């Protein structure tokens, strides 16, 4: 991933919040959705509940560092939004990396494509005993 591409517009973040798939962990929440650009884009959100500006900026640095360590393993063409939680500033990027990797791989795997946005699997339609 040579070019750092970020989400900047509010509508891009909202699209991921409402139409994307999500994965939750006490350290971070990840939203993912396919894009048609052929490259990955990220957005990072940290609320004031996490702390003051220094703490929020640290969260962003930690998340960015963890993501760019695992970026070569991720297929291209996805948008990600990472939401920091209260415990995020206390960890290092090396501790956040396995969590982020697990979340991203679960959201981008082909198996997760068959799931509905609420996380439930879509029912498989089959014919039962010749009935239509």
């Amino acid at each position: 991933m040579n070019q750092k591409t970020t989400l900047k517009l509010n509508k891009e973040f909202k699209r991921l919040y409402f139409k994307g798939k999500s994965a939750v962990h006490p350290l971070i929440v990840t939203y993912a959705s396919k894009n048609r650009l052929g490259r990955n884009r990220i957005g990072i959100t940290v609320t004031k509940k996490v702390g003051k500006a220094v703490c929020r900026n640290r969260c962003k640095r930690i998340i960015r560092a963890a993501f760019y360590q695992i970026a070569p393993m991720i297929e291209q063409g996805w948008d990600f939004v990472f939401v920091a939680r209260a415990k995020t500033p206390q960890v290092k990027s090396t501790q956040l990396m396995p969590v982020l990797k697990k979340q991203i791989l679960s959201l981008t795997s082909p198996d997760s494509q068959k799931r509905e946005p609420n996380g439930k699997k879509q029912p498989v339609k089959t014919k039962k005993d010749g009935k239509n």
Side-chain angles (χ1 to χ4, degrees):
M1 188 166 166
N2 298 337
Q3 183 181 3
K4 294 181 182 179
T5 311
T6 59
L7 300 172
K8 297 198 190 290
L9 300 178
N10 190 23
K11 69 179 183 180
E12 294 172 335
F13 281 86
K14 283 185 177 181
R15 179 179 63 87
L16 279 160
Y17 291 143
F18 293 112
K19 297 202 177 190
K21 293 173 289 198
S22 63
V24 181
H25 188 272
L27 294 176
I28 195 164
V29 179
T30 304
Y31 294 90
S33 179
K34 275 276 217 199
N35 66 29
R36 297 179 182 156
L37 302 175
R39 64 181 185 269
N40 291 337
R41 300 186 302 170
I42 66 167
I44 300 172
T45 305
V46 186
T47 64
K48 288 186 177 182
K49 291 180 185 179
V50 173
K52 298 200 180 212
V54 172
C55 190
R56 294 194 305 266
N57 289 335
R58 175 174 164 73
C59 288
K60 291 183 221 174
R61 282 195 314 270
I62 291 168
I63 294 169
R64 214 176 291 118
F67 178 77
Y68 287 121
Q69 288 291 318
I70 62 169
M73 297 177 239
I74 304 168
E75 71 173 277
Q76 296 296 308
W78 288 87
D79 288 341
F80 299 103
V81 169
F82 304 111
V83 181
R85 309 216 48 199
K87 294 181 180 180
T88 308
Q90 285 87 33
V91 298
K92 295 184 177 185
S93 64
T94 54
Q95 294 168 319
L96 186 64
M97 206 169 26
V99 173
L100 213 55
K101 182 178 178 181
K102 182 179 177 185
Q103 286 183 341
I104 289 174
L105 292 177
S106 71
L107 292 173
T108 60
S109 69
D111 180 44
S112 70
Q113 302 300 315
K114 297 176 185 172
R115 293 181 183 261
E116 292 179 2
N118 60 6
K120 296 179 181 175
K121 285 190 176 181
Q122 293 178 347
V124 178
K125 295 180 182 178
T126 60
K127 292 183 181 180
K128 295 181 181 179
D129 301 321
K131 296 179 184 178
N132 291 4

